[in-house]
Amino acid sequence: MRKIEIHDLIQLLGMVGIIGSLIFVGLEMRQSQRIALAAQQTERTNMFLNNVNSLAEPQLNYSTMQGQLAGQTPVTTDYEWAMVNSAHAFWWIAENDYTQYSLGLMGEEVWQAKLHVMSLQYNGCAVREVWEVRRNTLDARLVELVERFPDECTE
């Protein structure tokens, strides 16, 4: 039977230690990514809550505004400014979401839901002029993506 040399044993233990360290670092990175994803979702939620809360002081109803955006009810002058401001905010958020998705910081399910909402916003004919103004200031890849949606605002 052959004896293991002490330096071979030390090398073996060193390799086991390195492998263990790499596994630990990998697990830490995975946990950090999950924390980053949760933080991004929290931030997106806060942005939308701030949008809803901005309507409280003038006593405007978010559901009413959404109905007007969707063309389900006529647009009234008291909601018009809120709809325009919300549309501007939405496109900033959409660009941020696109960037996060591109960087792998957003899951596919969430991204698909975001695409659906972007399509609805793009086809919110009451605020289409906001898209026309903002499209020149947004990431060109996002603009290309959005403009592939069917256009329900053309006559």
Side-chain angles (χ1 to χ4, degrees), residues 12-80:
L12 178 65
L13 290 174
M15 285 190 294
V16 169
I18 289 172
I19 291 170
S21 295
L22 289 173
I23 291 170
F24 177 76
V25 168
L27 292 172
E28 287 293 312
M29 288 176 64
R30 186 174 173 193
Q31 182 181 20
S32 293
Q33 182 186 21
R34 287 182 176 165
I35 290 169
L37 290 171
Q40 293 301 324
Q41 182 62 35
T42 300
E43 186 60 31
R44 282 191 291 276
T45 300
N46 284 333
M47 286 187 282
F48 284 110
L49 288 174
N50 288 336
N51 191 14
V52 171
N53 289 337
S54 72
L55 300 173
E57 186 176 335
Q59 297 182 337
L60 299 177
N61 183 298
Y62 187 77
S63 295
T64 301
M65 183 181 75
Q66 290 301 310
Q68 291 179 11
L69 276 170
Q72 297 167 345
T73 58
V75 176
T76 59
T77 55
D78 54 337
Y79 279 88
E80 188 174 12

